[in-house]
Amino acid sequence: MGLSNRFMPIKRLLRSSTANLTRVVAVRGFAGLNEKRVASKGPLIEGVKDIIAVASGKGGVGKSTTADLRMVPIENHGVKCMSIGFLVEKDAPIVWRGPMVMSALEKLTRGADWGKLDILVVDMPPGTGDAQLSISQRLQLSGALIVSTPQDVALIDARRGANMFRKVQVPILGLIENMSCFRCPHCGEKSDIFGSGGARRTADEMDMEFLGEIPLEVEIRRSSDEGSPIVIQSPDSAVSKAYNDVAHKVVYRLEELAKGRKDGPEIFL
């Protein structure tokens, strides 16, 4: 479940930036703005206001860096976290067929005691298969956040991921360009290791919001490995400000979509 510490910066900022969001009581799953409006099926997770998916369609682009008989999530820095990795041996492979994966997803979402949350962030696995479709259709996602690095091979998969969400009427919150550039910590010289501006161009071509650029920095890796998010460890750094800006834009998009659901017609199929 996508609440791992590796994507803690955006998760913590989202948590602290949602105090003024209005609870949406209309039928959930309506897409706002230019998205197709269709009522979604199934109940919400009790106590959760909004659910967003962080996806890319491709692995390795940095998505994971963003009760009674029930599983209790681990909590750190005020953010609750649940992962299948907590339930298996450290080096054990997860070799499961589809039904077992679906069962695990159900337990990690509705089988966990989340309490009251403003936003539940789901760190999606790569691809556009059964797991992604099940999460999209069963959790009534408020929106999907697409993450990509700037190079073409990553953006091809990001396009596929965005189009999958659109096919199941999940609104796209926007596109983030991760690892946008590397700035030498010694001389300050900027290097566009994965190219430049690819995510912004893709967002324009696909009519998606471009939410910002997150640079490739050693401190992000170091602080994440230590379990101390960069926005906690170095709140005034440039990269923390970049995460902060992205988080505020995500919250604003959720507000826009909520308003669209409230003002728009309710269409039941």
Side-chain angles (χ1 to χ4, degrees):
M1 183 54 49
L3 291 170
S4 61
N5 284 342
R6 291 178 295 165
F7 205 73
M8 189 70 74
I10 191 170
K11 291 166 190 166
R12 179 172 177 83
L13 288 165
L14 284 171
R15 175 181 176 275
S16 64
S17 302
T18 55
N20 296 322
L21 281 178
T22 302
R23 181 172 297 277
V24 178
V25 295
V27 177
R28 300 303 300 270
F30 287 156
L33 302 180
N34 295 326
E35 304 283 350
K36 182 179 180 182
R37 298 179 181 274
V38 178
S40 60
K41 302 176 181 179
L44 292 171
I45 297 176
E46 184 179 354
V48 177
K49 182 182 293 184
D50 283 298
I51 305 175
I52 66 174
V54 178
S56 67
K58 181 182 186 299
V61 300
K63 297 188 309 300
S64 301
T65 304
T66 55
D68 54 329
L69 298 180
R70 302 181 79 192
M71 294 185 291
V72 179
I74 294 174
E75 186 167 344
N76 196 14
H77 298 290
V79 177
K80 295 180 179 180
C81 176
M82 193 66 216
S83 170
I84 198 66
F86 300 158
L87 308 177
V88 299
E89 294 294 332
K90 178 181 177 181
D91 297 324
I94 309 297
V95 186
W96 290 351
R97 295 188 182 276
M100 294 183 68
V101 174
M102 297 305 106
S103 176
L105 290 173
E106 188 71 15
K107 288 180 172 61
L108 289 175
T109 52
R110 292 190 177 89
D113 182 16
W114 293 109
K116 298 294 182 182
L117 298 179
D118 287 316
I119 297 176
L120 174 64
V121 179
V122 181
D123 183 2
M124 300 280 276
T128 54
D130 287 347
Q132 292 78 7
L133 288 173
S134 295
I135 289 173
S136 300
Q137 294 172 336
R138 294 178 63 83
L139 293 187
Q140 300 184 43
L141 296 175
S142 299
L145 186 62
I146 307 298
V147 180
S148 182
T149 46
Q151 76 269 37
D152 290 343
V153 67
L155 289 164
I156 290 170
D157 288 329
R159 286 172 177 267
R160 290 173 178 152
N163 285 329
M164 181 209 72
F165 285 115
R166 284 177 168 167
K167 282 184 178 294
V168 293
Q169 284 80 53
V170 173
I172 307 298
L173 300 175
L175 177 62
I176 298 173
E177 183 174 271
N178 197 25
M179 308 182 202
S180 60
C181 69
F182 173 75
R183 194 176 299 277
C184 177
H186 306 293
C187 67
E189 182 180 355
K190 176 183 173 182
S191 299
D192 295 318
I193 297 175
F194 299 112
S196 176
R200 186 184 294 273
R201 289 191 297 272
T202 297
D204 290 341
E205 292 167 3
M206 297 191 67
D207 194 27
M208 292 188 290
E209 294 283 335
F210 181 71
L211 299 179
E213 302 172 349
I214 306 297
L216 176 63
E217 291 195 5
V218 173
E219 283 305 312
I220 299 176
R221 191 274 307 162
R222 181 180 295 124
S223 64
S224 296
D225 285 348
E226 293 172 355
S228 178
I230 189 71
V231 294
I232 301 298
Q233 193 171 96
S234 303
D236 297 324
S237 65
V239 69
S240 292
K241 291 177 181 177
Y243 275 121
N244 187 50
D245 183 57
V246 166
H248 281 290
K249 288 178 180 177
V250 169
V251 171
Y252 178 71
R253 284 283 289 137
L254 287 171
E255 290 174 336
E256 283 187 313
L257 294 170
K259 185 178 185 300
R261 287 191 294 266
K262 182 178 179 181
D263 296 342
E266 296 187 7
I267 303 174
F268 296 89
L269 300 179

